[in-house]
Amino acid sequence: MIYRTGAEWRAAQAKRVLLFGMSGLGKTHVSTLLRDSGDWFHYSVDYRIGTRYMGEHIADNFKREAMKVPFLRELLRTDSVYIASNITFDNLAPLSTYLGKPGNPNRGGLAFADYLERQGQHREAEVAALHDTPRFIRRATEIYGYQNFVCDSGGSICEVVDPDNPNDPVMSDLAGNLLMVWIKGSDAHTAELVRRFDRAPKPMYYQPGFLHAAWTDYRVEKGLTEEQVDPDDFIRWTYARALAHRQPRYEAMARWGITVTAEEVAEARDAQGFVDLIARTLDQARTHA
């Protein structure tokens, strides 16, 4: 780890962390808290994916839908209107909408082959955006004068790395430049995330092997063809299984850094509170090593 003790972390002129864990446990909240302090640069991996690497895919998808409307079709063909994604750190809906959900097209579903293609695009984009992190650390310092840096990773980071491989290129790139911090949720958090997702299911990225197995198992259990699948029901059915699939992968990633709980993160009211939490956790990890 790039910081070995709490004292070393506190004394560091450049504090650099990457937050990872399940979506909904506080990564973006803490990143925003640090950014709003005025001393931290906030790098959002999902925002980078949705703008730099998948922005054109997203905009083209909007245009395909707009071309189905005669009024908009003519305006688009004559370059009379401009259609673009308004993605922000706090609103990643354009990215998740593009990923889509497989199933019945009459219910907004995608053909499974098209869904897989978009999943593949996301994987490539996420790996590239993660590899961009060291460059943004330099940019934050050289252009904007920020020494402190927080990388707000997406929930699917554990799907695109192999934390058990000491030579994994993404993990090596990240851990060599930032302190890896797992925000770990409890069983109660998991249950709440499942309830929240059930109310408003949204698309996610999954490892190909996991996704193929889920797609097959779901259709066998329900006795459905691909075209009969309710897209929302499928991703609801898949979500809890995805959380269980991701948990050991997060745990393996945590061996590259430290672990804090979602409760501890929620208690950090300002940047100093977060700095103190990381310092305590580093010292506790050293004591238990």
Side-chain angles (χ1 to χ4, degrees), residues 99-102 110-123 205-213 215 226:
L99 279 178
K101 313 166 190 177
L110 294 169
F112 192 63
D114 293 337
Y115 179 67
L116 286 178
E117 181 180 2
R118 296 185 185 192
Q119 288 272 308
Q121 291 168 350
H122 190 282
R123 179 183 182 85
Y205 171 76
Y206 304 105
Q207 274 191 337
F210 171 84
L211 183 57
H212 278 283
W215 183 242
E226 291 192 7

Side-chain angles (χ1 to χ4, degrees), residues 173-188:
D173 210 10
L174 297 174
N177 287 279
L178 307 101
L179 177 64
M180 306 290 287
V181 179
W182 178 27
I183 301 179
K184 182 180 181 180
S186 63
D187 290 343

Side-chain angles (χ1 to χ4, degrees), residues 187-234:
D187 290 343
H189 285 118
T190 300
E192 175 55 30
L193 291 177
V194 171
R195 285 193 293 271
R196 190 185 307 171
F197 190 89
D198 190 62
R199 292 194 297 269
K202 65 178 184 178
M204 294 170 54
Y205 171 76
Y206 304 105
Q207 274 191 337
F210 171 84
L211 183 57
H212 278 283
W215 183 242
T216 299
D217 292 347
Y218 173 85
R219 289 184 295 114
V220 169
E221 179 181 310
K222 304 286 186 177
L224 301 173
T225 65
E226 291 192 7
E227 292 75 18
Q228 293 172 327
V229 170
D230 179 332
D232 282 343
D233 189 59
F234 170 71

Side-chain angles (χ1 to χ4, degrees), residues 66-286:
M67 286 291 285
K68 298 175 184 178
V69 181
F71 175 72
L72 293 176
R73 175 186 173 87
E74 188 57 32
L75 291 173
L76 277 173
R77 286 169 60 89
T78 57
D79 288 328
S80 300
V81 294
Y82 176 74
I83 295 179
S85 164
N86 191 28
I87 194 168
T88 67
F89 283 11
D90 299 314
N91 179 18
L92 299 167
L95 176 58
S96 61
T97 299
Y98 175 74
L99 279 178
K101 313 166 190 177
N104 188 334
N106 294 326
R107 296 191 176 189
L110 294 169
F112 192 63
D114 293 337
Y115 179 67
L116 286 178
E117 181 180 2
R118 296 185 185 192
Q119 288 272 308
Q121 291 168 350
H122 190 282
R123 179 183 182 85
E124 291 181 8
E126 184 160 9
V127 169
L130 289 167
H131 276 307
D132 283 345
T133 306
R135 182 158 66 87
F136 270 81
I137 291 173
R138 294 191 296 273
R139 289 185 68 193
T141 301
E142 295 170 4
I143 298 177
Y144 304 108
Y146 286 103
Q147 297 295 324
N148 302 321
F149 185 97
V150 56
C151 177
D152 176 9
S153 72
S156 57
I157 184 175
C158 65
E159 306 278 17
V160 301
V161 300
D162 179 5
D164 292 322
N165 175 7
N167 298 313
D168 180 83
V170 177
M171 289 296 295
S172 298
D173 210 10
L174 297 174
N177 287 279
L178 307 101
L179 177 64
M180 306 290 287
V181 179
W182 178 27
I183 301 179
K184 182 180 181 180
S186 63
D187 290 343
H189 285 118
T190 300
E192 175 55 30
L193 291 177
V194 171
R195 285 193 293 271
R196 190 185 307 171
F197 190 89
D198 190 62
R199 292 194 297 269
K202 65 178 184 178
M204 294 170 54
Y205 171 76
Y206 304 105
Q207 274 191 337
F210 171 84
L211 183 57
H212 278 283
W215 183 242
T216 299
D217 292 347
Y218 173 85
R219 289 184 295 114
V220 169
E221 179 181 310
K222 304 286 186 177
L224 301 173
T225 65
E226 291 192 7
E227 292 75 18
Q228 293 172 327
V229 170
D230 179 332
D232 282 343
D233 189 59
F234 170 71
I235 63 170
R236 285 191 180 101
W237 183 91
T238 304
Y239 182 70
R241 290 161 180 78
L243 296 186
H245 161 76
R246 288 181 174 183
Q247 190 72 5
R249 300 187 67 82
Y250 288 139
E251 290 177 359
M253 288 179 64
R255 293 197 293 270
W256 293 69
I258 60 174
T259 301
V260 297
T261 67
E263 291 89 351
E264 290 172 324
V265 165
E267 291 173 359
R269 303 299 182 186
D270 52 26
Q272 187 57 52
F274 177 78
V275 169
D276 292 343
L277 170 60
I278 297 302
R280 290 195 304 271
T281 306
L282 281 167
D283 286 338
Q284 289 165 2
R286 187 175 177 84

